[in-house]
Amino acid sequence: MKDFFSAENLHWQIVAALVLACIVAVIPNVGDFAIGAFTLVGLFKFIGGLFVSALKMIVVPLIMAAVVVGVSNMAGRDSFGRIGAKTVGFYVLTGFIAIFTGLLLVNIILPGNIPEEAAQELVASVEGTDYQDKIGKVKDQMEDQGTEATTDLVEIIKRAIPSNVIAAASNERNLLAIIFFGAVFGVFMARLQGEVRQTMDNLWNGIHDVMILVTMWIMRFAPIGVFALVTNVLIVSGLAIFQVLFWFFLTVFLALVLHFFVWLPLLLWFVGGINPVSYYGKVVKAQLTAFSTASSAATLPVTIKSATDAGVSNRVTSFVLPLGATVNMDGTALYECVVVIFIAQIYAATTGTDFGIGQQLTVVLLALLTSIGVAGIPSASLVAIAIILPAVGLPAEWLAIILAVDRVLDMCRTSTNVTSDLCITAMVASTEGEELEEIRKAAPEESAEAA
């Protein structure tokens, strides 16, 4: 039992915390239980908030140090442009695979293809809801950070070049601006010579190493934070709502599972020559942290540490992962596609207006673009969906239909987002000739010997 609580078994501790959270959440009226001035829900929210804040605290300095170190090591080599091209190519590939997976399942399961009477009741149930308040709060949070969702690539590029880098760093999650400045800084740092270059190398490597140590310290509290976060979500969401939106929930969940456990592992195996079981075992802490926090940005310190523990070099992780946490959102793109088509099916059931293949392909493109423009914060995809719906002729206020289950699905898709980042990182490292001995798939002769 003593070994169970050691740092080496942290992933099992987090799994145990998830199981315990599910058990506590189903206890009748547990949310009304009070401890002093706190209700139990309030206490869980407070503890979970502290854990997420601790992770966010180190995001900016870790990203800055990681990008500067990684780019300075690559600057002047052919690998810099090559790694960048591979990274973007894999982002687009996995994004389209995710979206078409969602598109396929939502057209097979047809979660919104319900009787007209039931569809009208469902639409009527969202009238007068706090849809605008919910979307408004997320929009305000994104505007404060300068990370509004957009389908305009020009706006995304403009966001990446900050007029004030200090202000960009202070808003916590304008990661594109931080990555751009860090990359420029790293390129020109590589041009320094002699003692000045050595001093700068030592400084930024030291900052990076310290941030990793801080990450390890924060993660020792992860089981407590995960338990508090997940319990709070399950108590607040309740279980009854899943009965109403069961087929929609199942469609999204199955699509995410397919991408998480089938397509990404297949890419690892055939493109990277990597054993997905071994690799997933190395990065499970990041996957579970992403699930509990529902934030790619907050999970980034753990993501970088997990990839490093799997043997991926700093020159790859420091470039691919920070960028991925900003622009590579497979789970989000998949979710946006399924939500829009689901609402289109309900719209067809109530009005008789079919949603054609041309409109569905438009949704595919918009889902990919808006997923790039979405901030790595909980529920940010709701704003992106609110942009897509009117663009394809659907009522944006019907987004309220899925709000009840959004938070739980947000946790699932964030874990998928982070897993995609990690898989792309491993594939880039593998195609760059890195050894990755601990996660390589066994050669035929090695497999025979093991047998």
Side-chain angles (χ1 to χ4, degrees), residues 69-87:
V69 170
V71 172
S72 66
N73 288 337
M74 288 190 294
R77 304 178 187 174
D78 294 338
S79 62
F80 184 56
R82 190 172 64 246
I83 288 176
K86 288 178 181 178
T87 300

Side-chain angles (χ1 to χ4, degrees), residues 57-350:
M57 173 182 69
I58 60 175
V59 167
V60 171
L62 178 61
I63 289 177
M64 188 66 182
V67 173
V68 168
V69 170
V71 172
S72 66
N73 288 337
M74 288 190 294
R77 304 178 187 174
D78 294 338
S79 62
F80 184 56
R82 190 172 64 246
I83 288 176
K86 288 178 181 178
T87 300
V88 173
F90 283 135
Y91 287 166
V92 174
L93 173 64
T94 59
F96 271 120
I97 290 173
I99 293 170
F100 279 109
T101 300
L103 185 66
L104 179 65
L105 286 188
V106 78
N107 278 287
I108 291 174
I109 298 175
L110 298 172
N113 190 14
I114 55 180
E116 182 180 349
E117 224 174 275
Q120 289 174 345
E121 287 180 7
L122 187 59
V123 171
S125 70
V126 302
E127 292 180 357
T129 62
D130 61 349
Y131 155 75
Q132 292 295 344
D133 290 340
K134 174 74 172 177
I135 301 300
K137 287 178 182 178
V138 178
K139 277 186 175 178
D140 290 342
Q141 188 178 3
M142 294 171 73
E143 287 170 3
D144 289 343
Q145 299 165 3
T147 54
E148 302 91 338
T150 177
T151 59
D152 190 344
L153 282 176
V154 174
E155 286 299 318
I156 295 172
I157 294 171
K158 283 171 62 179
R159 182 192 302 164
I161 304 177
S163 58
N164 185 331
V165 69
I166 303 300
S170 66
N171 72 12
E172 296 183 6
R173 284 185 295 270
N174 190 0
L175 299 186
L176 276 177
I178 298 168
I179 291 167
F180 177 79
F181 181 80
V184 171
F185 193 98
V187 166
F188 288 95
M189 191 178 90
R191 298 188 179 185
L192 297 175
Q193 302 292 328
E195 291 185 8
V196 176
R197 170 63 190 274
Q198 188 61 48
T199 299
M200 294 298 289
D201 281 345
N202 291 338
L203 171 66
W204 286 103
N205 276 292
I207 293 174
H208 179 267
D209 292 346
V210 170
M211 289 301 102
I212 292 297
L213 289 174
V214 175
T215 301
M216 293 170 63
W217 173 70
I218 293 172
M219 284 304 294
R220 294 298 292 127
F221 300 94
I224 299 172
V226 167
F227 170 75
L229 287 166
V230 176
T231 304
N232 179 64
V233 169
L234 293 179
I235 291 175
V236 172
S237 298
L239 300 178
I241 189 62
F242 295 109
Q243 298 173 5
V244 179
L245 295 171
F246 173 77
W247 289 110
F248 166 75
F249 185 93
L250 182 66
T251 301
V252 176
F253 185 75
L254 288 178
L256 290 172
V257 166
L258 193 60
H259 192 66
F260 190 104
F261 287 109
V262 179
W263 305 139
L264 291 176
L266 284 175
L267 285 172
L268 280 174
W269 184 271
F270 289 107
V271 177
I274 292 167
N275 185 329
V277 176
S278 299
Y279 189 52
Y280 274 28
K282 293 286 185 182
V283 301
V284 66
K285 294 175 190 175
Q287 294 168 329
L288 293 174
T289 303
F291 178 80
S292 60
T293 61
S295 172
S296 301
T299 308
L300 187 56
V302 188
T303 310
I304 293 175
K305 180 65 170 60
S306 296
T308 303
D309 289 345
V312 182
S313 71
N314 184 52
R315 76 186 183 108
V316 174
T317 60
S318 61
F319 178 78
V320 179
L321 289 176
L323 189 61
T326 309
V327 302
N328 184 48
M329 301 284 181
D330 290 1
T332 299
L334 181 156
Y335 181 69
E336 290 174 13
C337 179
V338 173
V339 170
V340 174
I341 304 301
F342 168 67
I343 291 175
Q345 290 169 355
I346 295 175
Y347 189 75
T350 55

